[in-house]
Amino acid sequence: MIVLGIDPGTAICGYGLVEAQGSRLKPIIYGVIETTPDMEAAMRLRKVHQEIDGLIKQYQPDSMGVEMLFMNKNVRTVMAVGQARGVILLAAAQNELSIDEFTPLQVKQAVTGYGKATKEQVIYMTQRLLSLPKKPHPDDAADALAIAIATIHCGRSNRMRVTNDRLC
């Protein structure tokens, strides 16, 4: 099973593809989609959509995991991330790809076993679970890999459910 994990954003959108081979997890590719502040909002969203769509078409994942939107004091940030999530979900729907959504707490719990783990703990466990020689970088890509791992462990394709911020 191949899963695409997405950490949505318009300035930086993290992605990570992970393959589950039995109980072994293998990273396929990870990175970020970056846009510049001088780009119009619609062009930034188009770039995110096109690149996610391209990843889906190229790697043919079985499912996609996306981080849920969490509240932020900055309304502009919340709106931009919400718009990015919208074009990401659209790309998945256009490719008939199943989608699982996770809160940051659920991702932390799936990767580390502790819902209040630090970012460094999540990155460390992501590196270990994927047998990466060094820490995945940048943080948005590491987060996307963690989301892919959470999807493999707890996604609908595994017939497990995540409810009320409780894992599986």
Side-chain angles (χ1 to χ4, degrees):
M1 170 172 56
I2 297 175
V3 171
L4 173 59
I6 303 289
D7 181 24
T10 51
I12 302 173
C13 179
Y15 64 86
L17 279 128
V18 175
E19 182 175 9
Q21 300 171 333
S23 62
R24 187 170 173 261
L25 300 177
K26 178 185 165 192
I28 297 172
I29 187 172
Y30 60 92
V32 294
I33 301 163
E34 294 183 89
T35 63
T36 59
D38 63 322
M39 293 174 72
E40 292 181 27
M43 296 301 105
R44 294 174 108 176
L45 293 170
R46 182 175 75 176
K47 181 175 182 178
V48 170
H49 177 271
Q50 288 175 333
E51 293 204 24
I52 296 297
D53 184 63
L55 287 168
I56 293 168
K57 284 178 172 36
Q58 181 175 356
Y59 293 98
Q60 297 291 304
D62 300 295
S63 64
M64 176 192 283
V66 181
E67 189 171 73
M68 292 174 114
L69 188 59
F70 60 94
M71 288 303 139
N72 187 315
K73 291 179 183 177
N74 186 337
V75 176
R76 289 181 95 178
T77 300
V78 171
M79 292 296 291
V81 173
Q83 291 171 338
R85 275 179 42 82
V87 299
I88 291 162
L89 297 176
L90 174 62
Q94 288 173 326
N95 288 281
E96 299 181 9
L97 189 59
S98 68
I99 303 162
D100 289 291
E101 298 177 74
F102 300 95
T103 66
L105 185 144
Q106 290 168 329
V107 173
K108 290 175 183 181
Q109 191 170 359
V111 174
T112 69
Y114 180 57
K116 294 184 181 177
T118 65
K119 181 172 277 299
E120 277 304 312
Q121 289 170 320
V122 173
I123 292 171
Y124 174 82
M125 284 305 298
T126 298
Q127 178 185 0
R128 294 291 167 248
L129 289 168
L130 297 175
S131 301
L132 294 168
K134 59 183 181 176
K135 292 179 186 179
H137 185 75
D139 287 354
D140 304 273
D143 290 346
L145 287 169
I147 293 162
I149 293 167
T151 306
I152 289 167
H153 289 166
C154 303
R156 283 178 290 186
S157 58
N158 253 354
R159 301 196 186 288
M160 297 181 186
R161 288 302 222 182
V162 178
T163 56
N164 299 327
D165 283 338
R166 292 184 188 198
L167 187 60
C168 308

